[in-house]
């Protein structure tokens, strides 16, 4: 806060323009990249970082409030992809220079480009990408006779866990993680939460009542009621499922790649045996229907340039430096956040630090983003209302109720 | 301060028999009063009246913060949407329940604590008072996190400590159900604000004249009779003020729910509803309407206490 205020007032020392980059909290990688790019700029600009709250929803709230109040101090923003359409439609993002658009989307995973695009225009610059893998204990999969060299289905995972009486880690908390899970299920089944998108909230058509929607609902209920999801499924988030997976009961889990770094950290602290980490296995996100490629969750960060920034040209220059292959590789190794640039996965340092790098790249190639809409918070909020607790959903009624509810909320006929 | 307070008889005399000689003095006193309280009043109007009026104005519009161009006047339709929505009534029910439960329990507990503080040995009284006050000094969000961690399955100790009670086991998910989650919310609130109510009651207890107690004792009144006939009637004003403040406070419960359940499993309070419409959905119009309704309810409660139960705020401070 102080840094950003000073930056906004001072305009940089010695006439060098200062760019303020609002970043999500990380292990310090973005601050280091800011320093590197400041140096690379050779005195054309300086980048200072300002840290946003931890939760993506809180980051959005703060940025929207500032942007709506015409805050000119926002030059660069680390944006969760789900909020890009809203920011673009509200006119909060400066237009991407056409000559830059080609360069920053080269060799980038499709989902990253998709989430940076609104109304056929690139509105943000893909930075890093995140995806969920199926994590499993090699010993459990082996004992259950599950062949993990081929893609597996949810049904196979459930029976293997039941067979060995081990946990399946899924995120059933009434939060964004629930939407992430449901979206992966419905996309893997060949459907989408939003069937037909629109900039007019009253024209948005949902796809929950499709066959894929009902199948996803059914699967969500069956997994939740399998008896293997642990006692606190209705409040389980990414961290608590990781804790369950680390325990002696751990069997399977869908989660982001941070769980691996987390386990290594615990071994270093002496709170976990090396044998447990050696037992960690990873595979592509489970399929809904055997033989049909799964659509793993997609996350990450795209860079936006504030529409009211005093130096949008310099800010876009900076995004190119920040998202360079070299910096993405550094960020991957240092902070554990996977790159959106596919060439990074050939970096020997990355391959050494992340034995599952190739699986992540594969997963990112087939990942499906959550619905791209300017009314994302209504859609996800409504979904979380009707699909929680996950064990009580009913494929016959929940899709219809959720559709009616979200549609009414979008029409502002109901509270959320 | 107490030395400047006139006995009731002297103070009421000039009012019942107004004399021309005192009007100058009264006028200058009134002027001094305005001079002293005026700046505070102006600041109050600036920081409370202005936002309230702004909220009332905004509540008449269909207005989304990310779509300011399409702002349109919709009259009272936001209020109609809210009042015809079950979400509003559920959160209202939850809020009323939390208010009733916490205030009732806090009143009894606070009374007990006030008695302990008033009657405890003089030597340890300061220590005791400080100890009782600690929860009130803790920031609400911090205390909410502490209680959440205590009851959570992975980090909590409650399930282990109280596992011998029927219905509690290692797998009891407190935040997984409406009633159990509300129970934890209520406990956290009670733990946190009982000190406040007990301090207000202690002040009231100190006002009960010792002579009355002694007289009652001489007349052979039992402890229970003295409590009911002497202590309680004399501190009625203090009790009502404590109840009023706590009810208004409890009705706006937010932090604990935000931290513990984020409103899941029907544990949402009215303030939380307002927060989500305004801050999360950025629907300024709808959110303002919820806030205005919440404000009206709070004003209603205050009016009920002051008019209905004849609470005299001044008397609680020993000015009556």
């Amino acid at each position: 806060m102080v840094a950003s205020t000073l930056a906004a007032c001072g305009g940089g020392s010695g006439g060098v323009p200062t760019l303020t980059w609002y970043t999500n909290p990380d292990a310090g990688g973005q601050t280091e990249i800011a320093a590197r790019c400041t140096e690379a700029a050779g005195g054309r600009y300086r980048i200072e970082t300002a840290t946003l709250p931890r939760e993506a929803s809180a980051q959005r709230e703060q940025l929207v409030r500032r942007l709506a109040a015409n805050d000119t101090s926002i030059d660069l923003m680390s944006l969760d992809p789900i909020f890009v359409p809203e920011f673009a439609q509200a006119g909060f993002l400066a237009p991407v220079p056409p000559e830059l658009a080609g360069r920053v989307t080269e060799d980038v995973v499709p989902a990253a480009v998709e989430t940076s695009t609104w109304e056929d225009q690139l509105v943000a610059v893909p930075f890093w990408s995140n995806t969920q893998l199926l994590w499993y204990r090699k010993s459990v999969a082996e004992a259950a006779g599950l062949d993990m060299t081929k893609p597996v289905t949810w049904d196979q995972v459930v029976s293997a866990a039941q067979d060995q009486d081990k946990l399946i880690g899924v995120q059933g908390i009434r939060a964004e993680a629930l939407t992430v899970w449901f979206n992966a299920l419905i996309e893997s089944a060949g459907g989408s939460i939003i069937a037909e998108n629109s900039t007019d909230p009253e024209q948005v058509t949902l796809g929950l009542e499709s066959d894929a929607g009902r199948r996803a609902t059914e699967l969500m209920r069956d997994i939740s009621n399998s008896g293997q999801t642990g006692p606190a499924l209705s409040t389980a988030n990414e961290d608590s499922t990781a804790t369950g997976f680390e325990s002696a009961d751990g069997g399977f889990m869908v989660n982001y790649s941070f769980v691996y770094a987390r386990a290594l950290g615990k071994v270093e602290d002496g709170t976990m045996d090396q044998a447990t980490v050696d037992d960690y296995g990873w595979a592509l996100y489970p399929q809904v229907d055997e033989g049909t490629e799964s659509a793993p969750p997609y996350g990450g960060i795209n860079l936006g340039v504030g529409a009211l920034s005093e130096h949008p040209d310099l800010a876009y220059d900076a995004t190119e430096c920040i998202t360079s292959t070299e910096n993405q590789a550094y960020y991957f190794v240092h902070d554990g956040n996977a790159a959106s640039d596919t060439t990074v996965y050939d970096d020997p340092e990355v391959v050494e630090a992340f034995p599952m790098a190739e699986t992540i790249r594969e997963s990112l190639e087939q990942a499906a983003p959550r619905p791209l809409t300017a009314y994302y918070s209504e859609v996800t909020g409504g979904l979380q209302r009707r699909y929680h607790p996950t064990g009580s959903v009913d494929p016959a009624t929940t899709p219809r109720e959720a559709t009616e509810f979200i549609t009414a909320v979008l029409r502002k006929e109901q509270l959320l | 301060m107490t030395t400047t307070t006139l006995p009731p008889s002297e103070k009421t005399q000039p009012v019942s028999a107004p004399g021309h000689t005192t009007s100058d003095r009264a006028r200058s006193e009134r002027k001094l009063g305005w001079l002293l309280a005026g700046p505070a009043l102006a600041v109050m109007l600036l920081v409370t009246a202005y936002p309230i009026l702004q909220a009332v104005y905004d509540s008449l519009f269909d207005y989304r913060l990310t779509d300011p161009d399409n702002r349109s006047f919709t009259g009272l339709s936001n209020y109609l949407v809210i009042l015809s929505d079950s979400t509003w009534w559920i959160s209202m029910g939850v809020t009323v329940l939390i208010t009733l439960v916490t205030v009732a329990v806090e009143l009894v507990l606070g009374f007990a604590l006030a008695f302990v503080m008033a009657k405890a040995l003089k030597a340890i009284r300061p220590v005791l008072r400080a100890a009782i006050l600690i929860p009130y000094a803790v920031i609400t969000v911090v205390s909410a996190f502490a209680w959440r961690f205590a009851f959570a399955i992975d980090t909590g100790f409650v399930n282990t400590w109280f596992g011998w009670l029927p219905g509690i086991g290692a797998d009891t998910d407190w935040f997984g159900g409406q009633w159990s989650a509300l129970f934890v919310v209520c406990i956290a609130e009670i733990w946190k604000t009982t000190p406040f109510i007990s301090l207000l009651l202690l002040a009231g207890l100190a006002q009960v004249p010792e002579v009355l107690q002694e007289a009652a004792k001489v007349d052979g009144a039992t402890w229970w009779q003295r409590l009911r006939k002497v202590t309680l009637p004399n501190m009625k004003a203090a009790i009502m003020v404590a109840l009023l403040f706590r009810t208004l406070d409890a009705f706006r419960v937010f932090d604990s729910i935000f931290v513990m359940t984020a409103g899941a499993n029907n544990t949402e309070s009215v303030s939380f509803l307002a927060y989500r419409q305004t801050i999360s959905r950025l629907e300024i119009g709808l959110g303002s309407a919820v806030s205005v309704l919440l404000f009206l309810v709070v004003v209603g409660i205050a009016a009920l206490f002051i008019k209905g139960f004849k609470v005299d705020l001044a008397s609680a401070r020993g000015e009556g």
Side-chain angles (χ1 to χ4, degrees), chain B residues 200-224:
Chain B
L200 283 182
L201 293 178
L202 179 65
L205 214 52
Q207 280 174 30
V208 180
E210 201 54 38
V211 280
L212 291 184
Q213 297 279 17
E214 276 165 21
K217 229 184 258 181
V218 169
D219 287 345
T222 62
W223 180 85
W224 180 243

Side-chain angles (χ1 to χ4, degrees), chain A residues 26-93:
Chain A
D26 61 7
Q30 291 178 105
T31 309
E32 170 61 22
I33 291 176
R36 291 179 178 197
C37 288
T38 300
E39 207 181 302
R44 285 195 304 127
Y45 56 79
R46 251 164 11 101
I47 307 177
E48 277 177 6
T49 53
T51 310
L52 290 166
R54 186 155 289 281
E55 293 286 323
S57 52
Q59 293 165 14
R60 162 181 171 264
E61 283 161 16
Q62 187 173 127
L63 286 172
V64 166
R65 278 209 299 269
R66 282 168 170 263
L67 289 162
N70 298 336
D71 183 345
T72 55
S73 81
I74 301 180
D75 298 302
L76 288 157
M77 292 172 268
S78 289
L79 286 178
D80 196 303
I82 50 180
F83 302 128
V84 169
E86 183 179 38
F87 278 52
Q89 190 164 313
F92 291 161
L93 300 175

Side-chain angles (χ1 to χ4, degrees), chain B:
Chain B
M1 283 304 281
T2 47
T3 51
T4 59
T5 311
L6 297 170
S9 56
E10 282 175 53
K11 205 178 168 187
T12 46
Q13 236 168 9
V15 180
S16 55
H20 292 286
T21 47
T22 55
S23 70
D24 273 353
R25 192 183 156 200
R27 208 176 298 140
S28 72
E29 268 187 359
R30 194 176 305 151
K31 200 177 154 199
L32 181 68
W34 272 108
L35 276 174
L36 290 174
L41 184 72
V43 172
M44 279 285 285
L45 284 179
L46 198 71
V47 299
T48 59
Y50 166 68
I52 289 170
L53 291 177
Q54 176 80 46
V56 171
Y57 176 75
D58 280 340
S59 72
L60 303 175
F61 286 85
D62 172 3
Y63 174 30
R64 189 186 173 89
L65 197 58
T66 51
D67 193 10
D69 299 338
N70 287 328
R71 191 166 108 146
S72 59
F73 181 81
T74 54
L76 294 174
S77 89
N78 282 334
Y79 292 96
L80 279 178
V81 166
I82 295 164
L83 293 174
S84 60
D85 197 314
S86 61
T87 314
W88 159 264
W89 294 108
I90 290 171
S91 58
M92 194 68 179
V94 166
T95 313
V96 169
L97 180 81
I98 293 178
T99 306
L100 288 179
V101 170
T102 57
V103 173
V105 174
E106 281 171 24
L107 187 65
V108 175
L109 273 182
F111 217 95
L113 285 176
F115 261 112
V116 171
M117 283 195 280
K119 307 285 176 199
L121 294 168
K122 276 213 165 61
I124 61 158
R125 196 180 295 168
V127 184
L128 195 68
R129 214 175 319 183
I132 286 174
L133 257 181
I134 286 173
Y136 193 60
V138 175
I139 297 161
T140 316
V141 172
V142 176
S143 96
F145 267 110
W147 284 94
R148 189 184 94 179
F149 288 140
F151 278 86
I153 282 194
D154 44 2
T155 52
F157 54 83
V158 170
N159 284 351
T160 327
W161 283 16
F162 297 95
W164 50 273
L165 283 173
I168 300 179
D171 286 350
T172 307
D173 183 11
W174 290 90
F175 301 114
Q178 185 188 15
W179 296 108
S180 55
L182 285 178
F183 173 75
V184 182
V185 169
C186 286
I187 291 213
E189 287 290 305
I190 290 165
W191 176 80
K192 170 116 186 54
T193 43
T194 301
F196 171 74
I197 223 165
S198 70
L199 269 197
L200 283 182
L201 293 178
L202 179 65
L205 214 52
Q207 280 174 30
V208 180
E210 201 54 38
V211 280
L212 291 184
Q213 297 279 17
E214 276 165 21
K217 229 184 258 181
V218 169
D219 287 345
T222 62
W223 180 85
W224 180 243
Q225 283 170 327
R226 270 182 284 136
L227 179 71
R228 278 190 50 225
K229 304 280 184 191
V230 180
T231 313
L232 286 182
N234 273 292
M235 59 184 293
K236 182 191 158 224
I239 295 173
M240 292 319 282
V241 168
L243 272 184
L244 171 64
F245 284 175
R246 257 316 288 157
T247 310
L248 296 183
D249 232 20
F251 207 81
R252 292 172 294 154
V253 58
F254 177 85
D255 315 45
S256 298
I257 296 172
F258 182 81
V259 167
M260 290 181 192
T261 65
N265 299 317
N266 285 333
T267 54
E268 191 164 79
S269 68
V270 177
S271 339
F272 202 90
L273 190 69
Y275 162 81
R276 278 198 311 96
Q277 310 307 318
T278 321
I279 310 288
S280 306
R281 271 184 80 183
L282 304 169
E283 290 287 354
I284 307 295
L286 261 183
S288 297
V290 176
S291 310
V292 169
L293 286 173
L294 172 62
F295 173 71
L296 290 179
V297 174
V298 168
V299 168
I301 293 175
L304 184 78
F305 268 94
I306 291 170
K307 297 281 174 210
F309 299 121
K310 309 241 178 329
V311 178
D312 184 358
L313 288 168
S315 71
R317 295 200 299 265
E319 293 168 6

Side-chain angles (χ1 to χ4, degrees), chain A residues 272-337:
Chain A
M272 196 200 260
D273 290 335
Q274 179 65 40
T276 311
V277 185
D278 293 339
D279 199 26
Y280 272 39
W282 48 85
L284 285 176
Y285 203 80
Q287 298 177 345
V288 168
D289 299 306
E290 197 169 356
T292 311
E293 235 179 38
S294 65
Y298 177 81
I301 288 290
N302 300 333
L303 295 178
V305 171
L308 293 161
S309 160
E310 282 158 18
H311 312 284
D313 43 342
L314 293 179
Y316 272 114
D317 274 3
T319 62
E320 209 172 350
C321 170
I322 293 167
T323 60
S324 69
T325 308
E326 198 190 350
N327 280 334
Q328 287 200 22
Y330 160 77
Y331 198 55
F332 198 167
V333 174
H334 184 266
D335 282 60
N337 289 322

